[in-house]
Amino acid sequence: EVASKPGGWRGLRKFVIKEKVVKSNHITSFTLVPSDGKEVVDFSAGQYTTVWLHPSAWEHCQPRHYSLTNSPNGENYQIAVKKEENGLVSSYLHDKMAVGDELDLSAPY
């Protein structure tokens, strides 16, 4: 159970965008750190996290799964997001979210 490991949690946890790097016209990398400043649980290659977005203008919360693209370090997670032509969440992340903004994550699995 990931919640019982150091840095683990159950449910959603607030993270802050520490770094946002445009890799190409369609790919942006996000480095995410926990808002509470505590450590994050380690993960294995191939695992992913779920980003949960619910801007006030949206009727429903929108979850999306993204592979973790960095190595475990106990401090942050990194994801790469491909902007889809009609992608609600990917477009919002690319166009609206900035360094310092908060979002909710599920623990890696």
Side-chain angles (χ1 to χ4, degrees):
E1 172 78 25
V2 72
S4 64
K5 295 180 181 178
W9 71 96
R10 176 177 285 126
L12 302 181
R13 185 172 174 190
K14 294 259 184 236
F15 278 71
V16 175
I17 298 173
K18 180 180 177 182
E19 187 175 50
K20 180 179 177 180
V21 179
V22 176
K23 300 287 189 174
S24 72
N25 288 340
H26 302 291
I27 305 291
T28 298
S29 173
F30 296 86
T31 301
L32 310 168
V33 296
S35 297
D36 61 16
K38 296 180 180 177
E39 71 178 313
V40 297
V41 69
D42 283 343
F43 58 92
S44 300
Q47 286 190 299
Y48 55 91
T49 187
T50 302
V51 173
W52 297 80
L53 292 180
H54 194 197
S56 58
W58 296 2
E59 183 178 357
H60 301 287
C61 186
Q62 297 290 323
R64 296 294 186 277
H65 307 296
Y66 294 104
S67 294
L68 295 162
T69 60
N70 60 329
S71 297
N73 59 34
E75 296 177 5
N76 62 59
Y77 297 132
Q78 189 175 68
I79 60 172
V81 178
K82 179 182 178 188
K83 186 176 182 181
E84 298 292 342
E85 187 174 331
N86 294 310
L88 181 67
V89 172
S90 66
S91 293
Y92 191 86
L93 287 167
H94 275 252
D95 302 335
K96 304 290 186 189
M97 298 294 284
V99 170
D101 287 345
E102 276 192 329
L103 43 75
D104 293 318
L105 294 185
S106 295
Y109 53 96

